[in-house]
Amino acid sequence: LGLGPPRSRLAMALHSNPRAMRPRSNPWSLIALAFLLLFADLAFGSSGAPGPLAQSPLEEFSFSSPDQVEDYVAQAVRAARKEQPKGDGGSVLAPGSPMFKSAEDSARRRLLYSERPSLYQKKQDLLGGVRASIMQLAGEAGDQAGDPEDPSSSSSASHAETADGGGLVGQYEEELFESFLAVTANATGEGEGGEHLVALRGQAEALLGSVRLADEITQGAISSAGALSPEEAEPLSSVNVLRVPWLAALDIAENSSAEGRDFAGNSTELGDWYSSRMGGKISLATLSQEVGQASPLGILVAEEDVRAGDDLLEMPLKCVLNQLSLRNRRGGKSGFVGEKLKAAFAHNQEWGLAVALLHEVTQHRHGAGSKWGPFLDSLEMRLLGSSVVQELGGTFAAELLKIEEEEVQSGFRWVSSNVCKSDNTGICNRRAGSRSTAGTFTQQDFRWALAVVKQNAVPLRLETTGKEYLSLVPYANLAFHDPAAGGELVLSLSNTVTLRAGTDVPAFHPIKISKGNFTDAEQFLRYHTVSEETNAHNHVRVKIPGGGAAGQELIYKVQTLRDWRRQVGLPPRSSDLWRSASTLNLYGEDEEEQKHMDRQNRLLSGTELEPITRAEELMLTGRVKTREEAEKALMVKQPAGSEIQESKYSESQLYSAPDLEDDISLEMAAKSLKEAAHQLHISVALNATEEGSIGKALNDTRNFFLYGTAPTRGLDALDEMLIKKMDVMDACGQPSDFVIRADGVSDALLCAMRVTFANETELDLIAESFNESMAITKLNEVLTLRSLEGSVRGLLGMHATSADEDEALLDGEDLTPKKRCAVTLRLREKELLRSALSLLEAKIGGVDESDPELYQIAALLLREEEKRRRMDELERKLEEERERLSAKVEVVSVNVNVQKAGQPNSVESVNLTVYQGDSLTDRVREFGAKHELDGVARTRLEAHLKANIPDSQPISALVQAITKLGSVEVLGIMLGENATDKVERFLLMQGILDQSEDEFRDLQEELEGKLVSRSSSRLLVELPVVAPDGRKLALQIRDGEQHDLVEYMRTFAKYAKLPSSSVQPLAQEALRRLPAAVLQVPINLGGSRQLVLTVSRGDEERLDELISNFCDRHGIKEESAQHQIKRTVRSKLHPGATLL
């Protein structure tokens, strides 16, 4: 630092100043550090300072039509061509041209410019931040801050780099971090400031690893191949070529408007058109210029006292320009405009109405005319002057300016692709000409129309359905917007549009209605006013990486992945590395050769075995014939000014990069790889993990730069993880839902932040059953809330003025009307953020006391534990069933005293057991024959056996099931048995659980439902049955089974293991015991066997129940079929009745 080696000076400072061991910052987490460091990317973005540029004092200016926009653009281009040096044949729109620079200045003045630092700059900011913390710890920050000669200053970080490092290595940083780590090696985290010191050590260790990796990369395979550009990538301009003409034209338009404005509209013509030609009426209101309004026509004011509910405007639908009125509007060569724009209105009502407006304006000014002509002449695109816009710096309104600019581009792309590209009727043609001569609508045309729609359209509600249609309504657009005013615009069945007041309005006061739930920022940018009272809809939107990206088109989703990884310090995408390496032809052109080279490089990196030589690789691919040719082909290009040296990476097989000056694409590819190296350094510094997809991406990228291993060409594991986050985050809501309100952060924002901080283990657990309203884990919740707290503090810090300063300005008399609105807006935003901050702080304090069951992972683990216990229980039941079915089922067992064979005077006890399926009579006969029992003894034995057989519970329900193999199995339940247990055991034996848990659960629910339903049906008769093995069975015949007794007895015989010969006798006995039938109706189910529905005596009074049970038993679920059966049965019972 000028007084000796950095190591010794730092050591002296730390030892001589023990209180310096307490850093002022609180680096509580590397993850949070990354989030807050890159906060400008995640929240509002950053806007370049406007610099010493002239600003017009004009508060507001306008464009009356797309033609005027085109005229100003033409003026800007002509002026740029005059300034272009003679002989310069380049485009006036090209980056670096005077017109391009003028457009950038214009964008900065209007807060439309987003600073996009290169990754090199971000890396230096990160290094500088930790450098400053270390120097602060040493008590030297005040002496060294801002010193341009001090290498510890982030602004002069480039001076500390070694000349041969290509911007990758900072020798000073390595010495500084080593010194700090050596001095604080014994830090325990105890004592005052100890925890902060340990956290800072962790950051320093990570950054030291990053710095050392940078040194290795300069010696690695990619650098040795000459594929890293010696120059840093320039920061990207947020102004693209397509926006240059518009931004340049804005300056001319604003300056021209300061000298006076032309207005095509005429209040008299508009009034005549509205009342005389279109039949509209204005009641209790008139136009006034006195109150002040952006439109030259003035505003709508009350002529006399207006009461809530009074009708102010009444007009036929033909006065209104919207989707409904365009249904009968001929468009182009054929068809109707409303039909052609149906998809556009469905996709986005503002975009659809903007295209319709453009079509009508084009026809009015250049074509066959438009019936809305005088109304169209009154519409303008109104913009705030740059001096007013500057007052919005640091507010959500400034960010909203960029969001609206992005919407212009995305909306125009969608309209061009989905409306104009397929249009063959001329609805998108400019100046009402042909496509070949005039072309289709431009982005500037769409920009004008979209702005007019946003500033003038109001929602029109259908009286019948309540559905709203965005509409351009004469005079309604001149009513003030007030979020609390209410009011409504209604379309009745008579096709009459009526505007009704929502509140009382005193005479000569502005008519106010609510035109939508807009924030202060949205209201100010649309209507150039803010409401007098606090806006209940006010909020601040926060950008979340990946938010709303799940449904993006593929090309934009890939860009989202790229930006996401750059923003939060994750490694570069493998496919981007491959694309740059392929452009530089580092791996050759033959796919087989690429595989061989990659394998050899992986061998060197330690990820493969059995190495082979470089010459063998190329000779095997047929690229060279001799080893000498192979060695010559594999010579690598060394960095300029360096000597060839052998290193541990010198065996890597890569082709030398071509001369970067030969082609701009080669230079861009090399710069892209250089940026990727910086991105890797940032990631190493911020991500302490070597596990999961982040760790894999880190290792793969490191091996690419060091050993030349080929990157993945498609999505890598980290891409897949981020896509999973996108999909989970999609359940949280859309980006417009990620907001901060005075009553705290929205549920959608809280949800999205939880997903952002979810690690891979958590993500895998919640992916399938994510609960968007529930915290994930306690640690995740702490990270989420602290990051939100930091974000709110960051948003407050972005304001250039304090709340006291804003209040002083509002108390004064110097502010112009529009600036007063701007200051009011930013003061309300500060109050909103302070309110949200206090609520967040309270929420953070309550995390420790929260119930563990409130966290998703804890709940999931509990469910997993319950599931494990259930699976164990099911496994136990399966084993029991297997044992039960493999063993013979005993019916009765007795011990009988019989004479010993050949010993008449001796007696022995012999067991006689009858099993299910046996014939009790046959078993007694066999036993009697074996032991020489006479007939009396046998009869007594048989009676004794039967007396010892217990009565069984009645069988209350039987259900058939067809297995996967096509066999029929029967599930039955006895009175008092547990249906759930019976079904589970049945399905387990069928192997359903092995196939699918979901299928097991669904079948269990279905079968259990059938058993319960049938066992609870009305009991008709109970039939006692004695099985051949002696079992005393009882079969309950319930309502629904009596219609096909033979089939039911066949099912019973299969379940009870009775011989098939018993089916008919059982059916006949059941029929004898049932009430006599009075009617039998054939029921044809179509394609299956015909059934017969039996109506017995007494059934007429409960016919609906009878038919319902019949349908349930035979699986007739369609209501129409059930109704038809009822009609048929009743027509048979009442033959004289008329069928309606």
Side-chain angles (χ1 to χ4, degrees):
L1 299 179
L3 298 176
R7 184 187 304 275
S8 59
R9 178 136 189 256
L10 180 64
M12 291 172 60
L14 290 174
H15 284 298
S16 63
N17 185 8
R19 293 183 63 83
M21 299 290 281
R22 189 186 321 125
R24 299 174 195 171
S25 59
N26 179 15
W28 49 269
S29 166
L30 287 174
I31 299 176
L33 174 67
F35 188 86
L36 297 176
L37 174 70
L38 302 170
F39 170 75
D41 285 330
L42 302 183
F44 284 172
S46 56
S47 299
L53 300 171
Q55 294 183 14
S56 166
L58 193 70
E59 286 208 297
E60 178 179 89
F61 62 102
S62 64
F63 292 94
S64 61
S65 69
D67 295 344
Q68 190 178 32
V69 176
E70 188 175 26
D71 290 342
Y72 281 126
V73 168
Q75 290 181 43
V77 173
R78 285 196 299 270
R81 285 176 177 162
K82 288 181 181 179
E83 295 179 6
Q84 192 172 20
K86 292 184 179 180
D88 185 354
S91 170
V92 295
L93 307 180
S97 68
M99 187 174 183
F100 192 91
K101 292 180 180 178
S102 175
E104 288 185 315
D105 292 340
S106 178
R108 287 189 173 93
R109 279 197 298 278
R110 290 171 174 80
L111 305 184
L112 295 173
Y113 193 88
S114 298
E115 298 294 346
R116 297 178 178 176
S118 66
L119 287 168
Y120 168 73
Q121 292 170 322
K122 287 189 176 184
K123 184 181 77 171
Q124 294 307 316
D125 288 342
L126 178 62
L127 291 169
V130 179
R131 271 200 308 266
S133 293
I134 293 175
M135 299 310 296
Q136 199 175 56
L137 195 67
E140 299 184 358
D143 297 335
Q144 304 298 334
D147 184 355
E149 300 300 321
D150 177 15
S152 72
S153 172
S154 61
S155 62
S156 59
S158 58
H159 298 296
E161 295 158 4
T162 57
D164 61 346
L168 294 178
V169 183
Q171 182 179 2
Y172 173 77
E173 281 84 0
E174 186 170 359
E175 294 181 355
L176 176 66
F177 297 150
E178 286 178 345
S179 300
F180 171 69
L181 292 172
V183 172
T184 60
N186 296 323
T188 62
E190 299 178 356
E192 188 177 5
E195 182 181 348
H196 296 170
L197 179 62
V198 171
L200 188 58
R201 274 184 54 83
Q203 294 176 23
E205 288 173 350
L207 286 168
L208 180 60
S210 174
V211 170
R212 288 173 175 169
L213 174 62
D215 182 54
E216 289 188 274
I217 288 179
T218 60
Q219 305 173 45
I222 299 300
S223 178
S224 299
L228 293 184
S229 171
E231 300 177 358
E232 298 294 341
E234 294 292 330
L236 294 175
S237 174
S238 65
V239 174
N240 59 44
V241 173
L242 294 177
R243 295 173 60 202
V244 168
W246 164 250
L247 290 168
L250 278 176
D251 284 344
I252 298 176
E254 186 170 2
N255 292 331
S256 299
S257 296
E259 300 170 2
R261 59 187 296 190
D262 296 326
F263 178 58
N266 183 296
S267 59
T268 303
E269 289 183 4
L270 178 62
D272 292 342
W273 169 82
Y274 176 75
S275 59
S276 301
R277 289 177 52 189
M278 307 303 284
K281 296 178 183 179
I282 302 179
S283 304
L284 307 176
T286 187
L287 292 181
S288 172
Q289 292 277 359
E290 296 179 5
V291 182
Q293 165 79 354
S295 171
L297 289 177
I299 63 168
L300 202 62
V301 298
E303 273 191 316
E304 55 185 274
D305 289 347
V306 173
R307 301 302 177 194
D310 284 346
D311 292 348
L312 302 173
L313 299 176
E314 188 176 330
M315 68 196 79
L317 178 60
K318 64 181 181 179
C319 271
V320 177
L321 179 58
N322 68 4
Q323 184 179 0
L324 300 176
S325 63
L326 291 169
R327 289 180 299 191
N328 299 321
R329 170 66 166 153
R330 289 281 181 183
K333 301 175 183 177
S334 62
F336 297 95
V337 176
E339 182 62 29
K340 295 187 179 299
L341 295 181
K342 188 174 181 180
F345 278 110
H347 181 73
N348 186 301
Q349 286 205 53
E350 288 185 339
W351 296 0
L353 192 55
V355 178
L357 174 63
L358 274 179
H359 172 70
E360 293 302 325
V361 169
T362 298
Q363 292 298 318
H364 172 55
R365 291 177 174 269
H366 304 287
S370 170
K371 66 179 180 180
W372 292 285
F375 178 44
L376 299 176
D377 285 336
S378 71
L379 301 177
E380 291 186 325
M381 174 189 187
R382 304 188 301 275
L383 296 97
L384 292 167
S386 55
S387 62
V388 178
V389 171
Q390 283 296 308
E391 298 294 335
L392 303 175
T395 68
F396 173 53
E399 174 63 13
L400 192 58
L401 285 167
K402 302 188 188 80
I403 293 174
E404 290 186 346
E405 185 67 24
E406 293 170 359
E407 184 188 1
V408 169
Q409 298 177 57
S410 60
F412 179 68
R413 279 197 306 266
W414 191 92
V415 167
S416 298
S417 300
N418 296 277
V419 178
C420 297
K421 185 177 181 180
S422 59
D423 173 52
N424 56 8
T425 64
I427 196 173
C428 291
N429 291 359
R430 301 191 75 225
R431 299 184 181 275
S434 66
R435 180 175 294 218
S436 59
T437 59
T440 57
F441 297 141
T442 66
Q443 187 174 113
Q444 311 311 342
D445 296 335
F446 182 76
R447 181 192 303 277
W448 179 89
L450 184 59
V452 169
V453 167
K454 286 179 178 292
Q455 293 167 351
N456 292 276
V458 291
L460 173 63
R461 181 178 63 83
L462 293 188
E463 194 172 49
T464 52
T465 64
K467 184 176 180 180
E468 291 186 343
Y469 292 85
L470 198 64
S471 309
L472 290 169
V473 183
Y475 294 111
N477 63 317
L478 302 180
F480 261 19
H481 166 72
D482 188 324
E488 60 179 353
L489 199 65
V490 181
L491 176 64
S492 66
L493 287 172
S494 61
N495 271 344
T496 300
V497 175
T498 304
L499 174 65
R500 297 191 181 100
T503 58
D504 295 346
V505 182
F508 312 118
H509 283 68
I511 299 294
K512 297 180 180 180
I513 62 172
S514 174
K515 300 180 180 180
N517 297 333
F518 303 126
T519 64
D520 283 348
E522 291 168 327
Q523 178 177 343
F524 188 55
L525 296 186
R526 285 173 181 256
Y527 309 119
H528 302 177
T529 63
V530 292
S531 58
E532 296 177 0
E533 304 298 329
T534 301
N535 184 357
H537 307 295
N538 207 20
H539 62 246
V540 170
R541 197 183 309 170
V542 178
K543 285 185 177 179
I544 301 294
Q552 283 182 328
E553 296 179 28
L554 291 181
I555 188 171
Y556 299 115
K557 183 174 286 190
V558 168
Q559 185 60 43
T560 296
L561 290 171
R562 186 177 295 119
D563 293 341
W564 193 345
R565 291 167 74 144
R566 288 169 63 102
Q567 287 171 353
V568 299
L570 295 175
R573 298 185 66 245
S574 294
S575 55
D576 292 342
L577 297 176
W578 170 258
R579 192 175 296 107
S580 297
S582 180
T583 300
L584 295 169
N585 200 34
L586 299 184
Y587 295 98
E589 299 179 356
D590 181 76
E591 185 173 352
E592 189 66 26
E593 179 189 22
Q594 292 170 359
K595 290 180 180 179
H596 280 284
M597 294 174 72
D598 176 50
R599 182 166 179 265
Q600 176 65 12
N601 293 339
R602 290 185 183 278
L603 295 172
L604 291 172
S605 70
T607 57
E608 292 283 355
L609 301 176
E610 302 177 5
I612 57 177
T613 66
R614 292 179 295 171
E616 286 174 324
E617 293 285 347
L618 286 186
M619 293 173 70
L620 285 171
T621 63
R623 298 283 293 181
V624 298
K625 295 182 179 179
T626 66
R627 182 176 296 275
E628 289 74 15
E629 290 176 341
E631 293 293 342
K632 184 177 180 181
L634 289 170
M635 288 181 63
V636 296
K637 178 179 178 180
Q638 300 297 321
S642 64
E643 297 180 0
I644 299 177
Q645 298 179 353
E646 290 292 326
S647 75
K648 60 181 177 180
Y649 311 116
S650 60
E651 290 297 313
S652 297
Q653 294 191 1
L654 292 174
Y655 283 100
S656 298
D659 192 338
L660 303 183
E661 298 178 357
D662 290 347
D663 193 314
I664 184 64
S665 64
L666 299 176
E667 182 181 354
M668 291 178 65
K671 285 185 176 180
S672 176
L673 289 178
K674 185 75 167 289
E675 281 282 274
H678 292 314
Q679 188 172 346
L680 175 62
H681 302 157
I682 293 173
S683 185
V684 169
L686 296 178
N687 293 282
T689 179
E690 291 291 331
E691 300 176 355
S693 61
I694 296 178
K696 185 177 189 310
L698 282 171
N699 290 328
D700 289 348
T701 309
R702 184 186 290 114
N703 287 337
F704 165 73
F705 279 108
L706 299 184
Y707 301 99
T709 57
T712 303
R713 305 187 192 188
L715 297 176
D716 59 21
L718 185 50
D719 279 337
E720 293 175 352
M721 188 270 283
L722 293 179
I723 288 175
K724 184 183 290 187
K725 280 200 175 187
M726 285 183 191
D727 294 337
V728 174
M729 196 182 296
D730 192 51
C732 298
Q734 294 304 305
S736 58
D737 301 321
F738 303 155
V739 300
I740 301 171
R741 300 186 298 261
D743 61 351
V745 299
S746 67
D747 291 340
L749 175 57
L750 192 60
C751 170
M753 290 291 287
R754 287 166 176 162
V755 176
T756 297
F757 284 108
N759 60 39
E760 288 185 68
T761 302
E762 294 167 347
L763 187 64
D764 289 339
L765 287 172
I766 65 175
E768 296 300 324
S769 57
F770 180 59
N771 185 338
E772 60 271 18
S773 60
M774 195 175 185
I776 297 176
T777 64
K778 183 176 180 179
L779 176 59
N780 176 275
E781 193 72 357
V782 170
L783 289 174
T784 294
L785 294 175
R786 287 197 178 276
S787 293
L788 285 170
E789 178 193 26
S791 299
V792 174
R793 293 186 187 280
L795 291 172
L796 283 167
M798 292 173 69
H799 292 109
T801 59
S802 67
D804 291 340
E805 290 171 330
D806 287 343
E807 289 174 350
L809 287 171
L810 293 174
D811 290 338
E813 302 294 334
D814 298 333
L815 291 176
T816 59
K818 297 293 182 287
K819 287 188 177 180
R820 181 169 293 276
C821 289
V823 175
T824 300
L825 179 151
R826 73 189 187 204
L827 176 60
R828 288 181 183 174
E829 184 171 304
K830 293 184 182 77
E831 293 170 346
L832 178 151
L833 291 172
R834 284 202 299 265
S835 173
L837 183 60
S838 63
L839 292 171
L840 275 171
E841 290 171 343
K843 200 175 184 71
I844 291 171
V847 171
D848 289 337
E849 287 77 31
S850 57
D851 188 341
E853 293 186 4
L854 297 177
Y855 298 107
Q856 287 192 58
I857 298 301
L860 284 171
L861 293 176
L862 284 175
R863 287 200 294 271
E864 286 296 318
E865 178 62 21
E866 291 174 0
K867 180 181 176 180
R868 185 190 63 78
R869 286 198 296 266
R870 171 168 167 74
M871 296 302 292
D872 290 345
E873 177 67 14
L874 291 176
E875 185 67 28
R876 182 187 64 78
K877 288 183 178 182
L878 178 60
E879 290 301 319
E880 288 179 356
E881 284 299 290
R882 285 173 176 167
E883 291 178 7
R884 184 180 69 83
L885 294 177
S886 63
K888 289 183 177 182
V889 181
E890 182 181 292
V891 175
V892 62
S893 179
V894 297
N895 291 323
V896 182
N897 293 326
V898 298
Q899 290 182 348
K900 287 185 179 180
Q903 301 180 27
N905 297 324
S906 299
V907 177
E908 64 178 342
S909 179
V910 180
N911 179 264
L912 171 59
T913 301
V914 180
Y915 297 96
Q916 273 190 22
D918 292 345
S919 169
L920 186 145
T921 301
D922 290 347
R923 291 286 291 133
V924 169
R925 185 177 62 252
E926 292 169 359
F927 184 86
K930 181 177 180 181
H931 298 285
E932 299 178 352
L933 300 180
D934 58 19
V936 174
R938 294 180 185 184
T939 301
R940 290 175 56 196
L941 177 59
E942 184 173 342
H944 180 70
L945 286 172
K946 290 179 179 180
N948 280 276
I949 298 176
D951 293 338
S952 300
Q953 286 290 339
I955 299 171
S956 59
L958 295 171
V959 173
Q960 290 182 327
I962 301 175
T963 69
K964 298 287 185 181
L965 300 178
S967 62
V968 177
E969 298 293 336
V970 180
L971 169 63
I973 182 173
M974 292 183 178
L975 200 63
E977 281 190 314
N978 186 314
T980 301
D981 183 69
K982 291 285 289 187
V983 172
E984 284 180 350
R985 293 174 183 272
F986 176 78
L987 292 176
L988 287 169
M989 289 306 299
Q990 302 303 320
I992 303 299
L993 187 60
D994 297 334
Q995 300 170 17
S996 167
E997 291 182 29
D998 291 339
E999 185 179 4
F1000 183 90
R1001 184 169 54 252
D1002 293 342
L1003 286 173
Q1004 179 182 355
E1005 183 179 345
E1006 178 183 347
L1007 290 174
E1008 191 173 336
K1010 287 183 176 181
L1011 285 177
V1012 171
S1013 172
R1014 295 180 187 181
S1015 61
S1016 61
S1017 295
R1018 190 169 67 94
L1019 178 63
L1020 300 180
V1021 67
E1022 186 171 297
L1023 186 66
V1025 178
V1026 178
D1029 53 25
R1031 283 174 294 152
K1032 300 170 184 177
L1033 307 175
L1035 174 62
Q1036 292 183 339
I1037 301 176
R1038 295 183 175 272
D1039 193 13
E1041 309 292 357
Q1042 73 273 30
H1043 306 286
D1044 193 350
L1045 288 172
V1046 173
E1047 177 63 19
Y1048 189 56
M1049 294 306 168
R1050 186 179 292 115
T1051 303
F1052 169 66
K1054 184 175 181 65
Y1055 176 76
K1057 295 183 173 57
L1058 301 179
S1060 57
S1061 58
S1062 64
V1063 172
Q1064 285 296 336
L1066 286 172
Q1068 291 172 4
E1069 179 61 21
L1071 183 61
R1072 187 183 67 79
R1073 294 180 179 229
L1074 286 169
V1078 296
L1079 177 67
Q1080 288 188 318
V1081 182
I1083 304 296
N1084 190 350
L1085 298 182
S1088 62
R1089 64 187 181 86
Q1090 194 175 66
L1091 301 175
V1092 175
L1093 186 149
T1094 301
V1095 181
S1096 302
R1097 286 194 308 270
D1099 286 343
E1100 295 91 336
E1101 296 179 357
R1102 56 176 197 87
L1103 196 59
D1104 286 345
E1105 179 188 355
L1106 176 80
I1107 295 174
S1108 176
N1109 287 330
F1110 172 85
C1111 292
D1112 176 68
R1113 172 63 181 83
H1114 297 95
I1116 303 173
K1117 299 178 181 179
E1118 296 82 2
E1119 286 190 13
S1120 58
Q1122 295 182 20
H1123 292 327
Q1124 184 58 43
I1125 292 173
K1126 289 179 182 180
R1127 284 168 56 87
T1128 302
V1129 172
R1130 283 197 164 92
S1131 68
K1132 301 292 185 182
L1133 290 172
H1134 308 283
T1138 300
L1139 290 175
L1140 301 180

